[in-house]
């Protein structure tokens, strides 16, 4: 026991007065030490792009509608499907009512992907089959519901990037509004209950133009995507009234289709076994919400540190991930936050990377280089993760999964492309900076 106490005391004294590193022997002439502090940024980090089988998008409070195509991300089309709920109302037999108009109101979410300077177009098609959750109780970005070939209405608008709550109200065809209004006045069976109503009107598919250059985000709630029927009562004083048809709280979903032909990830298929390493994708790894792409991160030669001494301890570790220059700008804004998860050898998510206290989730400290765009990077503190994995092998070795936070991964098309150590666009690429202490007996 005494020898352990003496050894620990020597460790503290020598570490305090004569820490050495690989590039400097300052202080070495005063004390010959078997302890060394070493910093390295040459530890290999492997990145690979993984595509999820599908993402649940039903009942989300944000949706995306639009189309975009370029040589990096490929062609992406996002459409929105919704069932509507019939409002309950009572009309007096002694009063005459008159129809005025019918509109649909949308509020932007501020999310976008692509060219926001061009006019966007959305077509509203009536569904020809009911939306159903099925056995899973979810609808996905791959779900499909049939709709008519003839639109009920179409409208155009100018995007408002970054602006939340920007209102867009579009007048719909009066023939449609009058038909609904008359059915309500007559207390027709179609308007008696939701079951009867969704058999009469199954819902709407919001489909973008096939050549639009931008995908835009919209809120989905009692105020946004609601259909409002305006009418008034003819009495001594005209009383204006409204009936609001809201979207279902669960029977809505976002569908996303894509074609990655001629992109670096053209061969990407869903499933962990089909992950593409950066060596197969022009030294780039992809992460994007709603299409289901995320990045696996591995440190395969971590245990090489163990050969540096009889005792090796990791003091700190910072992972820096550099977006590829030219893949982000005003059309493709970088996500402000990212999330790292730990996963086992079978790629099953185990936990989230937190800060040093273990109480807060790390979201990737984003440093932006507004001058050359070469020093823009996200950083994560991996000290605890590497300390846990140093010396482990096989099934016990963990990996990392990099994704958007859940509230963005399932509702937006925000994304980022990172370069590996061999990418040439940036001055710096993926880098793991490790400070470790060695003791040579």
């Amino acid at each position: 026991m005494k020898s352990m106490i003496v050894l620990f005391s020597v460790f503290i004294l020598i570490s305090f007065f004569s820490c050495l590193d690989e590039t400097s022997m300052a202080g070495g002439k005063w004390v010959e030490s078997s302890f060394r502090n070493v910093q390295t940024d040459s530890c290999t980090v492997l990145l690979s792009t993984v595509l999820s089988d599908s993402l649940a998008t039903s009942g989300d409070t944000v949706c995306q509608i639009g189309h975009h195509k370029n040589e990096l991300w490929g062609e992406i089309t996002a459409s929105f499907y919704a069932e509507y709920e019939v409002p309950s109302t009572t009309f007096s037999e002694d009063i005459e009512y008159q129809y005025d108009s019918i509109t649909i109101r949308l509020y932007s979410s501020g999310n976008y992907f692509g060219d926001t300077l061009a006019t966007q177009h959305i077509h509203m098609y009536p569904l020809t089959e009911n939306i159903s959750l099925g056995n899973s109780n979810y609808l996905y970005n791959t779900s499909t519901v049939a709709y008519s070939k003839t639109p009920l209405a179409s409208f155009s608008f100018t995007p408002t990037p970054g602006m939340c709550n920007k209102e867009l109200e579009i007048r719909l065809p009066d023939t449609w509004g009058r038909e609904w209004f008359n059915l309500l006045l007559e207390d027709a069976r179609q308007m008696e209950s939701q079951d009867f109503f969704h058999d009469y009107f199954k819902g709407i598919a919001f489909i973008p133009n096939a050549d639009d250059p931008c995908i835009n985000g919209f809120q989905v709630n009692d105020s946004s995507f609601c259909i409002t029927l305006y009418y008034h009562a003819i009495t001594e004083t005209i009383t204006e009234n409204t009936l609001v048809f809201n979207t279902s709280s669960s029977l809505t979903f976002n569908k996303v289709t894509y074609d990655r032909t001629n992109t670096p990830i053209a061969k990407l298929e869903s499933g962990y076994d089909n992950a593409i390493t950066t060596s197969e994708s022009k030294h780039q790894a992809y992460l994007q919400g709603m299409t289901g792409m995320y990045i696996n991160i591995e440190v395969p030669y971590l245990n090489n540190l163990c050969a540096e001494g009889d005792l090796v301890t990791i003091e700190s570790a910072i992972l820096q991930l550099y977006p590829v220059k030219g893949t982000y700008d005003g059309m493709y804004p970088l996500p402000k936050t990212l999330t790292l998860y730990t996963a086992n050898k079978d790629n099953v998510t185990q936990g989230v990377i937190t800060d040093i206290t273990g109480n807060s989730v790390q979201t990737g400290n984003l440093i932006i280089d507004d001058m050359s765009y070469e020093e823009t990077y996200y950083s994560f503190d991996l000290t605890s993760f590497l300390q846990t994995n140093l010396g482990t092998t096989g099934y016990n070795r963990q990996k990392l999964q990099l994704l958007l936070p859940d509230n963005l991964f399932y509702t937006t098309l925000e994304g980022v492309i990172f370069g590996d150590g061999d990418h040439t666009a940036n001055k710096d690429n993926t880098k793991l900076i490790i400070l470790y202490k060695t003791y040579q007996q």
Side-chain angles (χ1 to χ4, degrees):
M1 184 67 180
K2 284 184 178 180
S3 63
M4 290 294 291
I5 295 173
V6 170
L7 178 60
F8 181 75
S9 300
V10 172
F11 179 90
I12 294 299
L13 288 171
I14 295 176
S15 297
F16 184 78
F17 289 106
S18 59
C19 290
L20 305 179
D21 59 35
E22 289 182 321
T23 60
S24 172
M25 293 298 292
K29 65 180 180 179
W30 303 110
V31 178
E32 176 117 13
S33 175
S34 296
F35 293 93
R36 301 168 63 236
N37 279 343
V38 184
Q39 180 171 297
T40 179
D41 63 2
S42 60
C43 197
T44 300
V45 178
L46 296 182
L47 306 179
S48 56
T49 304
V50 186
L51 178 63
S52 302
D53 292 328
S54 58
L55 300 181
T57 61
S58 53
D60 287 332
T61 58
V62 174
C63 76
Q64 306 292 322
I65 304 175
H67 167 273
H68 183 72
K69 182 179 182 180
N70 76 352
E71 68 280 1
L72 281 172
W73 297 96
E75 185 173 11
I76 304 173
T77 302
S79 50
F80 180 64
Y81 296 71
E83 179 178 295
Y84 278 83
E85 297 180 342
V86 62
S88 58
T89 186
T90 301
F91 293 99
S92 173
E93 295 180 356
D94 300 327
I95 297 176
E96 182 179 352
Y97 299 92
Q98 184 169 318
Y99 165 84
D100 291 324
S101 64
I102 188 169
T103 69
I104 186 168
R105 183 183 292 110
L106 286 75
Y107 285 92
S108 65
S109 65
N111 308 112
Y112 67 95
F113 183 78
D115 182 7
T116 58
L117 298 179
T119 301
Q120 309 295 297
H121 310 82
I122 294 178
H123 308 284
M124 300 169 56
Y125 293 88
L127 300 182
T128 56
E129 64 175 315
N130 289 116
I131 300 174
S132 174
L133 292 178
N135 296 330
S136 66
N137 289 323
Y138 289 101
L139 291 153
Y140 300 88
N141 60 342
T142 55
S143 298
T144 298
V145 176
Y147 57 86
S148 170
K149 295 180 180 180
T150 304
L152 287 166
S154 300
F155 60 91
S156 303
F157 66 98
T158 302
T160 53
M163 294 181 62
C164 295
N165 300 314
K166 180 69 175 180
E167 181 187 285
L168 180 67
E169 186 170 18
I170 303 97
R171 183 158 181 168
L172 300 175
D174 287 328
T175 52
W176 179 18
R178 285 195 180 92
E179 180 179 325
W180 282 20
F181 185 63
N182 289 334
L183 289 172
L184 288 163
L185 278 178
E186 296 164 3
D187 199 19
R189 182 174 183 271
Q190 294 94 320
M191 299 294 180
E192 284 183 6
S193 69
Q194 184 60 25
D195 287 339
F196 293 143
F197 181 68
H198 80 211
D199 285 339
Y200 159 67
F201 185 76
K202 295 174 173 55
I204 298 176
F206 296 84
I207 309 297
N209 255 18
D211 58 354
D212 275 358
C214 187
I215 300 173
N216 293 276
F218 298 95
Q219 299 179 47
V220 183
N221 52 42
D222 288 347
S223 300
S224 186
F225 280 95
C226 63
I227 296 173
T228 303
L229 193 157
Y230 296 89
Y231 68 100
H232 65 269
I234 302 176
T235 58
E236 292 182 359
T237 59
I238 294 179
T239 304
E240 295 182 346
N241 296 286
T242 60
L243 287 171
V244 179
F245 297 77
N246 287 316
T247 60
S248 167
S249 59
S250 59
L251 297 176
T252 62
F253 72 98
N254 233 148
K255 180 179 180 179
V256 180
T257 61
Y258 45 78
D259 181 356
R260 300 191 179 99
T261 304
N262 297 324
T263 70
I265 50 172
K267 296 180 180 179
L268 182 63
E269 296 181 4
S270 62
Y272 166 63
D273 293 337
N274 297 315
I276 292 180
T277 63
T278 52
S279 62
E280 303 172 276
S281 54
K282 295 186 178 180
H283 302 290
Q284 297 178 166
Y286 284 67
L287 177 159
Q288 188 179 43
M290 291 191 74
T291 58
M293 290 189 292
Y294 65 95
I295 296 173
N296 269 358
I297 303 173
E298 299 178 72
V299 187
Y301 307 119
L302 177 63
N303 284 348
N304 287 359
L305 292 181
C306 296
E308 296 294 309
D310 294 323
L311 175 65
V312 177
T313 59
I314 293 176
E315 304 298 306
S316 68
I318 301 296
L319 176 65
Q320 294 179 348
L321 297 170
Y322 291 77
V324 175
K325 183 179 179 180
T327 63
Y328 61 95
D329 54 22
M331 290 175 59
Y332 313 106
L334 290 174
K336 294 180 180 178
T337 58
L338 298 174
T339 306
L340 267 180
Y341 296 89
T342 59
N344 64 17
K345 184 176 180 293
D346 295 328
N347 209 45
V348 177
T349 304
Q350 294 177 319
V352 68
I353 297 293
T354 59
D355 61 14
I356 194 170
T357 67
N359 297 321
S360 299
V361 175
Q362 291 190 53
T363 56
N365 183 28
L366 176 58
I367 307 298
I368 298 179
D369 174 10
D370 291 323
M371 300 296 290
S372 66
Y373 294 95
E374 291 186 348
E375 295 294 328
T376 295
Y377 64 90
Y378 296 83
S379 66
F380 289 89
D381 188 334
L382 298 188
T383 306
S384 179
F385 173 77
L386 293 189
Q387 287 172 341
T388 299
N389 283 273
L390 182 63
T392 62
T393 59
Y395 192 82
N396 294 320
R397 172 63 64 84
Q398 293 177 307
K399 65 183 69 175
L400 294 167
Q401 298 171 333
L402 182 67
L403 299 88
L404 288 172
D406 282 354
N407 64 316
L408 300 176
F409 192 61
Y410 293 91
T411 61
T412 77
L413 282 157
E414 288 188 16
V416 59
I417 302 173
F418 292 113
D420 65 11
D422 294 322
H423 205 286
T424 58
N426 296 357
K427 183 170 62 177
D428 289 311
N429 286 295
T430 298
K431 185 188 302 181
L432 181 57
I433 304 170
I434 302 176
L435 175 65
Y436 60 96
K437 190 184 298 292
T438 70
Y439 168 71
Q440 194 72 38
Q441 186 173 356

